[in-house]
Amino acid sequence: MADFDVPELKEGLDTPEIPPVHIGVTKHSQPFVAKAEFQQPLGFPGELVDNWEQVAIDKMGELLSKYRSFRVYLDSCVKCGACTDKCHYYLGTTDANNMPVGRQDLLRKVYRRYFTFAGKYFPKLVGAVDLTQEVLDEWYSYFHQCSQCRRCSVYCPYGIDTAEISMAAREIMDSVGKGQKYCNEIIGKVFKIGNNLGLPEPALADTLEGIEEDVEDDTGVKVRYPLDEKGAEVLLVTPSADFFAEPHVDGLIGYGKVFHEAGISWTLSSHASEAANFGMFIGSYENMRKVALRIREAALDLGVKRIVFGECGHAWRVAYSFLNTLAGPFDFLDPRYPVPQHICEVTWDLIQRGALTLDKSANDDMVVTYHDSCNVARASRMGDKPGGQFEIPRNIIKAVCNHFYDMPPETIYEGTFCCGGGGGLLTDDLMEIRVKGALPRMQALKQVVEEHGVTHMAAICAICKSQFTKVIPYYGFRMDQIVSLHQLVSNAIVLGAKQ
Ligand code: SF4
Ligand code: SF4
């Protein structure tokens, strides 16, 4: 099945054993390099520029002066080792360059050479190195073996966030013409068409019409899935995977049923038909801003009062943490609601107010566990209390399912393990890293399957759902064991009960 070794799941373990250390065993794993046609629309050189070493150092200098955190992270590591076994890619690959500190050092040793006194004059003493083609190659490998999940930063006594170092490295590589095809091609599609999939407006309208027909056939109720409807109260911005792929589309069906039952008018937008914002993965503020501005434009054009985000982990991070800065102010929206809102906040609020009738027994064929997505868990919140991002999704699941069990404590909440496909790695050219990086989550899943008979794992992130459906067969599970959280809501909601 695979042309690489798939790690073995062990009996009776919560997380994988700490593996022996190897150096360079996954250096060969690199994503396809973006061609000029994908680089230039984003404002990057089409191919590696002649004087790339100087351009890269200049870019690093620019980032050091722009982002204080970048310099602090490079200066403050004391090599305590607390992060070494915290990265899922290290646990899955055994490569020392996938230890967070090892990954940081790939960039830190160049930083020292060009930006510190000791590195300029006594490079060997402080492990400083010149930026060479070999170093650039290592950067291209290992900064695309980091899903920017931020787990390492939770355990670092100094809070050093390797995700930010990876973003900076990718920004530097883009600036010299060595960008990653998968991310940059996708950002280009959003600029041109409005979503990651390149799904044009007529195809989107057809898809939504088909969903309406299917839901009516299934339930006998005409639930609407509207597009570009001016004057709707809510603009729903959701990952484009929700428009067709399993299990994502079952989540979209659930959002529609929630709005229908609550009597909230809503619409999707063909201009902002994508919640994902891959500008964050490549560390590009300008591209992230351009993607985010489409949401503002759509909200103004449609005259909505609220913006709600569907199930997408990094989209929620960009929305929750940066949307107001990137595309605000949103003073034209209804001030009674947060800007933006997560669909889980909307659903949980309606459940608490008794606005939805739920039949939990509709999910009795499942024993469910829940995967906290990294960008929701460690980079955002939900609701008005700390920890809402952990409690609200679980509260919803418990309100719609009779059988729920959490995975081992060190693998959930802020300690959650990445699915292995986040941060712009969800591409087939990185399948080895994706499968190996999923090891810790698979080990934890195995434990609740054995102890509690768990049959399904729910998630609220399009990348997690896509990654898991693809990689869990490598570990002996079935693709359909992954479900959208709003798929569970969709199953349990009793349509028409409140009318
Ligand atoms: S951010 Fe996540 S993927 Fe990157 S080094 Fe840290 S733990 Fe590993
Ligand atoms: S935990 Fe922090 S200070 Fe310690 S080695 Fe890792 S990055 Fe450096």
Side-chain angles (χ1 to χ4, degrees):
M1 185 172 173
D3 52 6
F4 49 85
D5 291 336
V6 177
E8 206 188 313
L9 298 182
K10 297 276 166 57
E11 292 299 321
L13 288 180
D14 298 353
T15 53
E17 289 165 309
I18 299 173
V21 181
H22 299 100
I23 298 180
V25 288
T26 53
K27 183 166 183 291
H28 61 275
S29 172
Q30 294 192 331
F32 295 141
V33 177
K35 292 193 180 129
E37 63 189 288
F38 302 128
Q39 285 283 97
Q40 283 158 344
L42 277 60
F44 304 135
E47 57 187 29
L48 197 63
V49 293
D50 288 340
N51 58 338
W52 67 268
E53 297 92 336
Q54 191 54 50
V55 176
I57 296 306
D58 290 347
K59 187 71 183 177
M60 192 186 286
E62 182 196 320
L63 299 183
L64 287 165
S65 60
K66 226 164 52 177
Y67 307 127
R68 179 105 183 92
S69 55
F70 183 38
R71 188 184 285 272
V72 169
Y73 293 156
L74 292 174
D75 280 337
S76 56
C77 174
V78 294
K79 302 286 187 288
C80 71
C83 64
T84 50
D85 60 344
K86 301 303 184 289
C87 177
H88 48 293
Y89 293 116
Y90 168 64
L91 293 172
T93 66
T94 76
D95 193 325
N97 287 330
N98 279 326
M99 290 176 172
V101 59
R103 196 182 317 285
Q104 295 161 21
D105 276 354
L106 296 174
L107 194 139
R108 187 175 281 121
K109 57 195 183 184
V110 175
Y111 160 72
R112 287 202 173 132
R113 179 75 180 97
Y114 296 91
F115 295 95
T116 66
F117 178 83
K120 276 180 192 161
Y121 296 102
F122 314 103
K124 287 203 173 118
L125 278 182
V126 292
V129 301
D130 289 343
L131 180 55
T132 60
Q133 183 66 51
E134 198 189 337
V135 171
L136 182 66
D137 266 1
E138 273 189 329
W139 282 16
Y140 197 70
S141 296
Y142 292 106
F143 288 116
H144 292 105
Q145 294 180 32
C146 169
S147 56
Q148 304 173 346
C149 77
R150 312 182 82 221
R151 187 171 196 267
C152 47
S153 70
V154 172
Y155 301 91
C156 172
Y158 297 91
I160 295 172
D161 186 354
T162 318
E164 287 206 23
I165 295 174
S166 283
M167 287 173 192
R170 292 189 195 178
E171 192 171 5
I172 294 167
M173 289 189 281
D174 268 322
S175 77
V176 301
K178 187 150 180 166
Q180 183 213 18
K181 174 178 182 278
Y182 173 66
C183 281
N184 293 2
E185 183 180 5
I186 276 181
I187 296 168
K189 276 190 204 157
V190 175
F191 293 158
K192 221 162 147 188
I193 301 166
N195 54 63
N196 288 6
L197 297 174
L199 196 66
E201 189 272 336
L204 181 53
D206 268 4
T207 305
L208 294 171
E209 225 179 276
I211 291 174
E212 279 186 9
E213 284 166 14
D214 289 348
V215 173
E216 191 170 2
D217 285 350
D218 198 32
T219 64
V221 178
K222 183 138 188 75
V223 178
R224 300 203 55 227
Y225 291 84
L227 182 65
D228 293 333
E229 214 151 270
K230 292 207 179 205
E233 183 181 344
V234 167
L235 167 64
L236 179 81
V237 187
T238 205
S240 52
D242 281 1
F243 298 132
F244 72 98
E246 297 280 350
H248 314 254
V249 68
D250 300 304
L252 173 63
I253 289 171
Y255 318 150
K257 289 183 182 176
V258 168
F259 288 130
H260 175 91
E261 275 307 285
I264 299 170
S265 67
W266 68 289
T267 187
L268 292 152
S269 154
S270 57
H271 181 66
S273 49
E274 181 60 69
N277 192 330
F278 279 30
M280 186 175 77
F281 296 154
I282 62 166
S284 167
Y285 174 85
E286 278 315 316
N287 283 292
M288 190 159 67
R289 182 159 187 272
K290 266 173 83 179
V291 175
L293 279 172
R294 296 178 74 92
I295 297 169
R296 177 188 179 83
E297 289 153 7
L300 280 167
D301 180 49
L302 295 168
V304 297
K305 302 276 181 293
R306 300 159 64 180
I307 300 174
V308 173
F309 274 75
E311 297 183 6
C312 181
H314 83 279
W316 181 239
R317 177 183 183 184
V318 175
Y320 179 88
S321 301
F322 314 130
L323 192 66
N324 277 286
T325 316
L326 291 168
F330 287 94
D331 46 5
F332 56 90
L333 297 177
D334 187 334
R336 290 175 300 166
Y337 298 95
V339 180
Q341 264 189 307
H342 194 283
I343 187 69
C344 284
E345 293 174 314
V346 174
T347 300
W348 178 234
D349 176 55
L350 291 167
I351 291 174
Q352 283 178 298
R353 289 196 284 115
L356 305 177
T357 301
L358 302 165
D359 172 13
K360 292 165 91 161
S361 70
N363 286 311
D364 273 355
D365 56 330
M366 299 188 220
V367 181
V368 179
T369 193
Y370 175 67
H371 165 76
D372 292 283
S373 303
C374 312
N375 277 300
V376 176
R378 287 185 285 265
S380 59
R381 281 186 180 176
M382 278 183 204
D384 54 4
K385 290 191 204 82
Q389 73 272 34
F390 309 123
E391 297 305 331
I392 289 176
R394 284 176 173 79
N395 289 343
I396 297 174
I397 296 174
K398 288 176 198 162
V400 299
C401 294
N402 281 312
H403 309 294
F404 172 76
Y405 296 94
D406 255 324
M407 285 180 276
E410 62 279 17
T411 74
I412 55 174
Y413 284 61
E414 54 272 307
T416 189
F417 276 108
C418 173
C419 62
L425 309 192
L426 193 73
T427 168
D428 285 355
D429 33 325
L430 292 176
M431 192 51 78
E432 178 180 355
I433 291 304
R434 287 171 55 188
V435 170
K436 291 181 174 175
L439 173 67
R441 174 49 78 227
M442 295 296 103
Q443 187 71 56
L445 176 62
K446 178 178 159 66
Q447 175 144 349
V448 283
V449 167
E450 283 170 357
E451 284 181 5
H452 303 291
V454 162
T455 59
H456 291 81
M457 181 160 69
I460 56 166
C461 172
I463 287 178
C464 297
K465 291 179 232 175
S466 300
Q467 157 75 354
F468 284 137
T469 49
K470 193 94 186 221
V471 304
I472 68 168
Y474 286 85
Y475 290 95
F477 301 108
R478 291 188 331 272
M479 286 171 78
D480 63 3
Q481 291 183 266
I482 305 303
V483 290
S484 295
L485 186 147
H486 273 80
Q487 179 177 348
L488 301 172
V489 176
S490 173
N491 294 343
I493 202 162
V494 182
L495 293 175
K498 296 285 175 195
Q499 284 157 14

